[in-house]
Amino acid sequence: MSAWFVRASMVGALLGCITGGCADAQAPSRAPIGGFGSPPDAMIFYVAHGADGACGPACSDWIAAEGTVQWDTHKRLFSILDRQSPGRRLPVVIHAWGSANLNVAASLGRILRDRGIDTTEGTTEVDACKDKSETDCFALKRPGGPLDARINLSDSRCDLGCVMILAGGVHRSLPPGTRVILTGRAIRNRLAPNVSEEQREALTSRFGEQFRAYLREMGVDVELLDIVDRNSESQRATELPPSEWARLSIVTDVPR
C-alpha cells in the first residue's frame, strides 16, 4: 500500500468522549499483530460460532473484524477469507475503533464485495475470554478461530472507517440503536509526517474522487462524502439517524 493515506479525523474520538464515554473504554490496547513496523491495535479477523440466529436468521457462524484499520489490515482479511471452504461466505461483523486508514477501509470493502460477503456491526464476545486478560484473549483470537462466541449489540457504534467497510457488503445492516458517527478526514504520510499545504490540497481532492467512485460502486449515495468533507472543514462530527442510513443506502436492510 502507498505511504500516502487518508485517516478519519480524531474529532470522532473527541465526540465519543463528550457524548458517549471515551472510545478508549471499549478499545483495548494490545501488541502489534504483524512483524516489524506493524502498528498496535491493528484489526484482526477470526471465525466465531454462536447459537442458531446469533448473527441473523439461520446464521450461527461469522467472521469478527476487530480493531483499528491500519495500512496492513487488508492482508489479514485476504488470509481469513482464503482459509474458508469454497463457497462458504460468512458475514463479517465489524467492531472498529481508533483513527482508521480510509484507503484501506475502502480496499476491505472492495474485497468483501468481490467475495459476495454480507456486513454488519457488533462486538464479538468470545466465551473463552471470560475472566482472561486482554493479552490472553488476544492470543486466543489471533490464530483465527473458530471460537464459541456471542454478539453484543448493547453499545453498537459505527464510525467513518466502519461505514467504509460496511459499504462493501452485498447485504449490509446495522443493529437498531447503533450510533453512526461521520467525522472528517485528514491526509497523512506514515513515512514522512510533514505534508505541505499544496500536497494536502491536491491529495484531498484526489482521494475524495477515489472515495466517491468507491461509494458509487458499492451503491452508496456520495452525499455521504459531502457530509464528511463539511466535517473536515468545520472540525465537527455528524451523527446519522436510522432514516439517513436508508436514504443514503448505507444499509440495504433497514432496522425495525
Side-chain angles (χ1 to χ4, degrees), residues 10-230:
M10 290 304 293
V11 68
L14 294 175
L15 179 71
C17 287
I18 295 169
T19 63
C22 294
D24 288 345
Q26 57 178 358
S29 178
R30 51 191 194 200
I33 179 67
F36 177 78
S38 180
D41 290 339
M43 181 170 279
I44 60 170
F45 302 89
Y46 57 94
V47 175
H49 172 77
D52 291 342
C55 46
C59 178
S60 58
D61 296 276
W62 66 95
I63 293 174
E66 181 180 284
T68 302
V69 180
Q70 301 281 11
W71 61 270
D72 59 349
T73 299
H74 62 290
K75 300 177 183 178
R76 288 183 291 281
L77 179 58
F78 274 128
S79 178
I80 195 73
L81 293 178
D82 288 346
R83 288 162 54 187
Q84 306 311 305
S85 303
R88 192 184 193 208
R89 297 185 177 91
L90 298 181
V92 169
V93 179
I94 306 161
H95 178 46
W97 64 72
S99 181
N101 182 319
L102 299 181
N103 307 60
V104 176
S107 296
L108 300 179
R110 282 198 170 97
I111 294 167
L112 295 174
R113 181 62 61 90
D114 287 345
R115 301 292 183 101
I117 304 294
D118 296 343
T119 53
T120 188
E121 197 280 340
T123 302
T124 298
E125 296 183 343
V126 174
D127 294 350
C129 285
K130 186 177 181 181
D131 299 326
K132 284 187 170 59
S133 68
E134 174 59 27
T135 299
D136 291 341
C137 182
F138 180 59
L140 288 172
K141 297 173 181 176
R142 183 169 178 170
L147 297 168
D148 290 337
R150 61 184 290 272
I151 299 176
N152 185 344
L153 304 177
S154 63
D155 188 25
S156 293
R157 303 181 186 208
C158 196
D159 60 13
L160 180 53
C162 166
V163 169
M164 295 291 280
I165 302 170
L166 184 83
V170 175
H171 299 99
R172 43 194 187 269
S173 61
L174 289 169
T178 301
R179 296 187 63 202
V180 176
I181 299 174
L182 298 183
T183 59
R185 57 191 178 101
I187 300 295
R188 297 284 189 275
N189 184 328
R190 63 185 176 86
L191 302 181
N194 294 324
V195 182
S196 73
E197 190 59 35
E198 184 178 359
Q199 285 179 307
R200 192 181 305 279
E201 290 180 5
L203 288 166
T204 297
S205 176
R206 187 178 111 198
F207 285 127
E209 288 307 309
Q210 290 178 1
F211 292 149
R212 281 181 168 81
Y214 166 72
L215 292 174
R216 281 192 289 267
E217 287 176 35
M218 300 303 111
V220 178
D221 196 316
V222 295
E223 184 184 337
L224 177 81
L225 201 63
D226 295 336
I227 297 170
V228 170
D229 288 344
R230 287 196 296 271

